[in-house]
Amino acid sequence: MAALNNLTEHLEAFVDVTRSPTHHAESLRAIATSLEKSVLSINQLVVEMDMYLTTTDDVVRARGRILLLAEMLDYLKPKPLDNAVVNSLVGFFTAKLAEWRSVRGALTGCLALIKRKGVAGLVTAVDAEAVAKSMAQSVQVQSLALYDRKLCFELLECLLEQYPEAMINLGDLMVYATCEAIDGEKDPPCLMVAFHVVELLARLFPSPSGPVASEASDLFEFISCYFPLHYTHTKGDETSIPREDLSRGLSVDSLKCLKDCAVNYGVSRMKKHYEGIWSAIKDALYASTGTDLSFGLESLTSPGFEMGEIHREAVNLLQRLVKQDISFLGLVADDIRVKMIFDTISRYSRYEEMLDTSKLEVLVVSQILSVSARASVESCNTIFETFFVRLMNTLGIVEKTSSGDLVHNENSTVSTRLYHGGLHLCIELLTASKDLIPSSEEDSSTPESAQQSWCSIVNRFSVSLIEAFTSAVQSSNDDCSADAYLGVKGLLAMGMFRGGSSPVSRSEFEKILTTLTSIITANSAKTVKWELALKALVCMGSFIDQYHESEKAMSYMGIVVENLVSLVRSSHCSLPHPMILEATSEVCSTRPTYVEKMVQGFEEAFCSSFSDFCVNGNFKSIENCSQLLECVTNKLLPRLTEIDGLEKSLVHFAISMWNQIESSVVFSYDFNGREFVEAAMKTMRQIVGVASVDSQNSIIQKAYNVISSSTLPAMESIPLTFAALEGLQRDLSTRDELILSLFASAVIGASPMASFADVKSLIKLFMVSSLKGYISAAQALGSMVNKLGTGLEEACDTIFHESSASGNNTSSVDSSKSIGGSETLLAKICLGFYGSLDLQTRAITGLAWIGKGLLMRGDKRVNEIAHVLVECLKSTNSSGNALHPSALKHAADAFLTLMSDSEVCLNRKFHAVIRPLYKQRFFSITVPILESLIVNSQTPLSRTMLHVALAHVISNVPVTVILDNTKKLLPVILEGLSVLSVDSEHKETLFSLLLVLSGTLTDIKGQQSVSDNAHRIIECLVKLTSYPHLMVVRETAIQCLATLLELPHRRIYPFRREVLQAVTKALDDPKRRVREEAIKCRQAWTSISSRSTPF
Amino acid sequence: MVSGLINENPTVYERKERRVRTDSTNSDEFSVEPIDQLEIFDILFFDFAFINIHHIRDIRDPEHPYSLEQLKVLTEDSVEVDDLKSYVRVTFTPTVEHCSMATIIGLSIRVKLMRSLPPRYKIDIRVAPGSHATEAALNKQLNDKERVAAALENPNLVEMVDECLSPSFE
């Protein structure tokens, strides 16, 4: 009932003409929404409108009854309606067309109904006919207002488009009505629709004796008076179309229209217009082509210049005409400008030396000829016979005789002349012709003779052409990329002929590959030439793969792939190693078989370089190894999904890495830097990460075997007792260190489904090595406790329980009380009961990673760990000994490890078990503890470190959590900001905490508490505007101050002076960005102060 | 007030493409970036988008809805600045010789710079030589501290200056 009450209100509003249009629109929308949601049915609406139906006031009746209903229908176009409803509505509106007061409503209604699409509720053809009839008979279009006229034309347009059959039935009536409607129309938007209506009519009644034909003279009279169109564009009128757009649009349309003519009128009728059309096409092409020819890498596979819409249409038209009638080509061939091209070409040798007009000639004629050649085999033959041979003569390219030798005539001393313009034309022609070779399936259906002509011409010249292009590339130097570009593009064009009937023989194709490969291998620096050749090879590789050219694939494999792969394998090569790797990985990614070959080559290269390093101490080799591994990680792994079979090859690669390490028993030399180990770890981690569970198991199994062959198992026997742990040093040999790091990486990348043979000894190994200071071992521990299924209890027992059971008697009295609590050995080391400082900090870091693993899977034991870490933040431990500052710092950083997302391990890529909301849970556990400790902290250091820890927790939790607790958190955030700002060491932490604060300032949830704490916030921010250690802190602080202006005036006004002082000081900041912010902020704060201080 | 516009049909120039700073990715935390010509020009013209980035904040010619840059009253070259000596001089060219609005334009420039530059700066505002009938008097007036201070005590004048500095919606 409430809906109905509202309805009356909305109806009132809509009918009242005195209200504003926005008001009307609003009430309309309200009613439409309720109709749409089916709260209200159309019937109900009609009943409710009863009063407006019977009123004697025409205005109200017209608006209320008809327009409302019509607009409603417009809104409801997508809603399915009952056919009967639609039918009765159409009838209603049709009847109302006769009443001039309600004509707008009736028109809108009809239009809305006719435009309906879809299944439910369509207007029937009979109804449509009735609408058209009523309209033709009773609506005097030209006597209506502008908007209504437009509606009329649109209605006609719709009727003609959607109900052509019904309109044909009406015949004369329709044509007559249109004539009458258009006569005298002056408004351009209406005319645009009207012209379309005429077009539709003509299409509907094509017969020469039909209604349109009989009214043709009238129609012509009405329409012709609008031509020629006068363009009266007023300056600054943004709604109208600018002149250029209009002329471009007209050109495009006329070219399209000519193409349609060519299609429909046929050769005989078009023939007499050929000359006119040809000159028009030429004009369009000359006008729409620029003179910039790009010699860049990106245009190797494209035309190399910009192509507008006019250009495209002109090209289409030309192609169409040539395809339809070969005699059109006569016009092209006889054209003086086309004929002149050979003179132009031979006048300049370099493209950049040409005048702009000559450049234009070359580009346009190349286009014309290549487009004509592309049209059909026949036209291609003609073009090649007429122009290609001549072009070859101009360029001095000789043909070979039937015996295969080159013909050397008396001019043989004159060598090939590499005119850029000629080469461009030649490449365009070759590229055009290559599309004419039918793909192998259609091959049999095409008569061989049809394509022989151009093919044999290309074939006759192919050897010399390839030579010419090769010499162009080879003669190029670094200053001029045009030679290299044209040469490579030419070779590419020659290499892209498909199939067995290709004019380029296999040996010639191989020559192209050899040339391009030699460019790659000969250069010692990354030049334009090098990049072009590589791209061309990649293009050819993917072309071969795309068209399944098995013969060419073999050549490619033999010449390109094997050559490059052997370069990767050999350590002595002029080409820098990263460039070989880049070229190889790009080229080989084009086909799975190449990938296999490449990874094999990589394997061998890795093994030989690695052993070269181990035996001879060649540091160059180990550097090559690192680069090779980086190539695998950065180039191959990201394309895993694109390249079939890559995963298998990579797993094989990982296993050979292990094999090689296993067999290199003696490491006579130390690694120079950590790069190799880092690269190897990254590769191992990622390969394991993407491998299937079975492959993971085999890698881990292999790794386990290698471990057992090393001295590492000895570490497992180290009892986890204080006495044994105290003396631990980073004393592993280089080899063991490598093995340990790689094994840890494999464990980090493994999925929860992978199986580990001996969890207990593994955990012990990682425990000991993490206490020795190997972070990756700690991360592996974290990953294991995160992913282990049934082995988890055992693992945790090993980590926490057993360590104290066999521990020192002095403290093991009630060790069994807690699992991960402060009584275990690990906890005691963390708290500094025994051992050196080094051992203590390593234990804290290790504990953090273990805690992270447990936290992410939602294990309760993380609470105990958090407890231990919090204890470490107190300045003294339970026995009263002071903790070392470094231990405190590590404990504070442990909270960052726990809360932040790691790139290296424990993320989705490495299959971590992640419970939702784990950060929130940790936040709610630790924040209250940390807060209370801060209040009771004994020393400034401990207080600072507690704040650092808290800042890590706060700034890593999702911001919504902060916003829910703004009231409680704001004071401690502010205190944290002021504590952290003392020392430059905490600048990053300070910045992330400041970002949290700035997040609370703008949010509606935090507004009340921000307002309550305004004085403290401003005080804190004012201090930070001069924070010397980090620019972004100052910048953000000033932005925050500006944001605070959104608070109620009375809250902030008192701080005006203070803020302005601080910001004025910031106007002199050394950094420009800060000054800019300060100007804005100062301006904003000045504007709230009184008029008496304008600056 | 003056009835009718002093310069009814000013020449409007196209805005010059802005010089873009090339060293914007200065990664050194502690290097100093001195205030330079472009920065002053940006202060006077550039969109220091505040709150709503679509408002372009320019000083406007009090008579016309065009900005001073469009009227070539100010160009980038008309700004001289020496950060070490804390000195800036802005030379502007009124659109016509007897433009009575020159004072208010000069005052607006001065106020804008006073609000945006550190207090250590000495600001010198000048009319381009030969561009105004009462050049000497005008220069004296614009650089007389007390007269400027007095002018800014006048609420009507301050309102006019603020109007000039208000964002123009383009």
Side-chain angles (χ1 to χ4, degrees), chain A residues 461-502:
Chain A
F461 287 101
S462 58
V463 175
S464 318
L465 265 175
I466 292 170
E467 257 171 32
F469 288 131
T470 308
S471 73
V473 184
Q474 277 159 0
S475 68
S476 73
N477 48 8
D478 288 348
D479 309 332
C480 171
S481 60
D483 277 322
Y485 170 83
L486 289 169
V488 171
K489 196 167 180 179
L491 287 175
L492 181 62
M494 292 296 286
M496 297 276 261
F497 287 107
R498 286 202 297 262
S501 51
S502 150

Side-chain angles (χ1 to χ4, degrees), chain A residues 102-390:
Chain A
S102 53
V103 79
R104 172 179 290 199
L107 284 169
T108 318
C110 289
L111 198 56
L113 285 169
I114 300 238
K115 273 186 185 164
R116 287 179 67 85
K117 288 199 176 103
V119 264
L122 280 181
V123 179
T124 59
V126 181
D127 286 333
E129 203 177 319
V131 172
K133 211 169 193 168
S134 161
M135 171 147 176
Q137 282 164 350
S138 43
V139 181
Q140 297 287 323
V141 177
Q142 284 309 313
S143 65
L144 297 176
L146 175 73
Y147 181 76
D148 298 341
R149 288 207 306 276
K150 188 159 182 218
L151 283 176
C152 287
F153 287 119
E154 280 176 2
L155 185 56
L156 275 173
E157 191 185 14
C158 265
L159 283 168
L160 286 167
E161 264 177 349
Q162 304 206 359
Y163 299 94
E165 292 85 13
M167 297 307 114
I168 289 176
N169 291 344
L170 287 172
D172 279 340
L173 187 64
M174 212 48 211
V175 180
Y176 180 73
T178 312
C179 288
E180 200 185 41
I182 296 174
D183 187 13
E185 180 57 59
K186 287 207 176 60
D187 181 57
C190 285
L191 276 173
M192 274 156 74
V193 187
F195 290 160
H196 191 213
V197 169
V198 176
E199 193 190 331
L200 288 170
L201 267 182
R203 209 176 282 173
L204 217 54
F205 302 105
S207 124
S209 57
V212 171
S214 59
E215 293 282 342
S217 63
D218 278 353
L219 258 180
F220 184 75
E221 199 176 303
F222 296 139
I223 297 175
S224 63
C225 64
Y226 298 109
F227 293 92
L229 288 172
H230 287 287
Y231 190 78
T232 50
H233 170 61
T234 45
K235 208 180 166 191
D237 185 2
E238 282 174 16
T239 52
S240 69
I241 311 148
R243 192 189 185 96
E244 297 77 46
D245 283 358
L246 185 70
S247 81
R248 193 178 320 121
L250 286 172
S251 299
V252 170
D253 276 351
S254 39
L255 285 166
K256 272 186 188 158
C257 180
L258 278 171
K259 196 178 132 205
D260 289 342
C261 290
V263 173
N264 289 319
Y265 289 151
V267 176
S268 54
R269 272 199 276 180
M270 288 299 285
K271 208 151 201 160
K272 57 179 176 229
H273 302 290
Y274 274 177
E275 269 177 43
I277 295 177
W278 166 237
S279 86
I281 291 177
K282 257 198 310 178
D283 287 348
L285 283 175
Y286 276 101
S288 63
T289 308
T291 57
D292 291 328
L293 186 60
S294 150
F295 296 116
L297 195 58
E298 64 290 338
S299 49
L300 196 63
T301 48
S302 63
F305 54 88
E306 300 246 335
M307 217 188 277
E309 214 177 338
I310 298 181
H311 193 107
R312 214 168 303 133
E313 288 305 326
V315 162
N316 284 345
L317 174 60
L318 177 62
Q319 194 160 0
R320 179 74 229 171
L321 286 166
V322 173
K323 194 172 195 164
Q324 206 167 298
D325 183 9
I326 191 76
S327 70
F328 191 84
L329 213 53
L331 282 172
V332 178
D334 291 338
D335 194 277
I336 186 76
R337 292 180 92 162
V338 176
K339 279 183 171 170
M340 288 287 286
I341 193 68
F342 295 103
D343 292 342
T344 318
I345 287 172
S346 53
R347 213 174 303 143
Y348 309 94
S349 76
R350 316 193 65 76
Y351 187 76
E352 64 266 24
E353 286 167 4
M354 286 189 200
L355 297 176
D356 273 358
T357 49
S358 311
K359 287 182 183 174
L360 190 64
E361 290 291 335
V362 170
L363 292 183
V364 172
V365 173
S366 305
Q367 268 286 300
I368 291 174
L369 291 180
S370 64
V371 166
S372 312
R374 198 171 279 149
S376 67
V377 174
E378 216 181 344
S379 66
C380 188
N381 287 339
T382 316
I383 296 276
F384 269 72
E385 278 156 17
T386 331
F387 295 99
F388 195 74
V389 178
R390 210 173 142 196

Side-chain angles (χ1 to χ4, degrees), chain A residues 980-990 1027-1030, chain B residues 30:
Chain A
L980 295 182
S981 65
V982 175
D983 199 335
S984 69
E985 190 188 353
H986 307 301
K987 58 185 178 188
E988 297 295 339
T989 321
L990 174 75
Y1027 184 72
H1029 307 297
L1030 203 61
Chain B
F30 298 105

Side-chain angles (χ1 to χ4, degrees), chain A residues 373-567:
Chain A
R374 198 171 279 149
S376 67
V377 174
E378 216 181 344
S379 66
C380 188
N381 287 339
T382 316
I383 296 276
F384 269 72
E385 278 156 17
T386 331
F387 295 99
F388 195 74
V389 178
R390 210 173 142 196
L391 176 66
M392 293 296 104
N393 290 337
T394 313
L395 290 174
I397 294 173
V398 291
E399 58 185 300
K400 67 180 173 201
T401 58
S402 50
S403 63
D405 299 324
L406 297 180
V407 178
H408 288 283
N409 49 17
E410 63 273 25
N411 288 347
S412 60
T413 45
V414 183
S415 62
T416 318
R417 295 166 293 258
L418 298 173
Y419 302 124
H420 284 178
L423 288 178
H424 174 74
L425 175 55
C426 178
I427 293 166
E428 288 286 299
L429 286 175
L430 289 171
T431 316
S433 65
K434 77 160 200 278
D435 295 336
L436 289 170
I437 295 192
S439 58
S440 46
E441 301 95 70
E442 313 164 21
D443 212 349
S444 50
S445 63
T446 321
E448 197 68 5
S449 57
Q451 57 176 24
Q452 257 170 5
S453 177
W454 72 264
C455 252
S456 66
I457 294 175
V458 176
N459 185 263
R460 261 159 44 208
F461 287 101
S462 58
V463 175
S464 318
L465 265 175
I466 292 170
E467 257 171 32
F469 288 131
T470 308
S471 73
V473 184
Q474 277 159 0
S475 68
S476 73
N477 48 8
D478 288 348
D479 309 332
C480 171
S481 60
D483 277 322
Y485 170 83
L486 289 169
V488 171
K489 196 167 180 179
L491 287 175
L492 181 62
M494 292 296 286
M496 297 276 261
F497 287 107
R498 286 202 297 262
S501 51
S502 150
V504 177
S505 69
R506 185 164 172 190
S507 67
E508 285 155 9
F509 179 74
E510 286 178 353
K511 188 144 184 280
I512 296 172
L513 292 180
T514 317
T515 311
L516 289 173
T517 314
S518 71
I519 297 171
I520 304 254
T521 50
N523 277 39
S524 56
K526 212 170 188 171
T527 54
V528 182
K529 202 197 307 190
W530 190 86
E531 284 181 88
L532 283 167
L534 179 58
K535 186 162 181 203
L537 277 178
V538 172
C539 280
M540 285 166 80
S542 15
F543 152 78
I544 289 170
D545 191 47
Q546 190 186 347
Y547 293 103
H548 310 291
E549 305 260 350
S550 52
E551 206 174 89
K552 288 188 177 144
M554 272 158 66
S555 308
Y556 196 84
M557 177 71 130
I559 294 165
V560 186
V561 175
E562 283 182 2
N563 231 323
L564 286 175
V565 169
S566 77
L567 273 186

Side-chain angles (χ1 to χ4, degrees), chain A residues 618-644:
Chain A
N618 187 346
F619 285 109
K620 181 87 184 110
S621 301
I622 203 74
E623 201 186 311
N624 286 354
C625 274
S626 325
Q627 284 161 353
L628 194 129
L629 291 170
E630 261 161 37
C631 176
V632 171
T633 351
N634 300 334
K635 291 254 156 76
L636 290 181
L637 276 164
R639 306 186 54 181
L640 194 81
T641 47
E642 300 165 36
I643 305 171
D644 290 338

